[in-house]
Amino acid sequence: MTTERAAAEPLAKTLRDAITRLGRRVRQARPVGDLTFSQLSALTSLQLAGALTPRELADVERVQPPTMTKIVGKLEDRGLVARTPHPTDGRQVILAATEQGKAVYAQYEQARNEWLAQALDRLSPEERETLASAADILQRVARG
């Protein structure tokens, strides 16, 4: 192990822990509702991707297809997701968020953004500037 690598490992652990805790806290900031984290995650993936097959959604969410079938069924029951025939493969369907699903997603996003904005308001201008720089760096790291 190189000296640089050994020096980076404690920072990697600290960053991973902080990002995990922050991500968990942001996910907990949500409007009153009874969508599970799995349902919200699937709805978010459909919102971001536009439309996916059930298999693609299961892959994105890293769950088994039978699990995704149950999640999608609950979202369909609420009118948040709709199935349409696949344009080239009659054996498949395409899943997409409905207008109601997009509205629910927007409510969750607003609640999360409001929580984080309030947390950032408690920081000094210098700390917010540091976080802005760190956010740019983390985006680069995330892109690989």
Side-chain angles (χ1 to χ4, degrees):
M1 181 182 312
T2 66
T3 304
E4 288 178 8
R5 181 64 161 301
E9 285 187 7
L11 175 59
K13 181 185 182 326
T14 300
L15 279 173
R16 182 178 46 78
D17 290 347
I19 290 167
T20 298
R21 275 192 233 107
L22 180 61
R24 186 176 299 127
R25 184 59 190 94
V26 168
R27 282 190 305 275
Q28 291 170 346
R30 54 190 198 165
V32 175
D34 57 353
L35 283 184
T36 67
F37 287 119
S38 297
Q39 291 166 350
L40 181 58
S41 183
L43 184 60
T44 299
S45 292
L46 289 172
Q47 177 68 16
L48 296 176
L52 297 168
T53 66
R55 177 60 172 201
E56 290 168 336
L57 183 57
D59 289 347
V60 167
E61 292 295 310
R62 298 184 185 268
V63 299
Q64 294 299 314
T67 301
M68 186 51 62
T69 298
K70 291 176 187 174
I71 293 169
V72 168
K74 298 284 186 186
L75 293 171
E76 281 183 296
D77 290 347
R78 295 164 160 252
L80 304 178
V81 169
R83 294 174 188 253
T84 57
H86 192 283
T88 59
D89 185 346
R91 300 168 296 161
Q92 293 193 57
V93 296
I94 299 291
L95 303 170
T98 63
E99 290 306 314
Q100 183 179 350
K102 292 174 185 178
V104 167
Y105 171 80
Q107 290 173 342
Y108 276 83
E109 281 295 293
Q110 181 178 352
R112 292 171 171 183
N113 290 341
E114 286 175 5
W115 178 86
L116 190 52
Q118 288 174 357
L120 293 174
D121 283 345
R122 294 189 295 270
L123 301 177
S124 70
E126 294 79 17
E127 289 171 318
R128 286 193 298 272
E129 188 174 316
T130 297
L131 281 177
S133 296
D136 289 340
I137 295 166
L138 288 171
Q139 289 287 359
R140 286 198 321 258
V141 169
R143 285 191 292 267

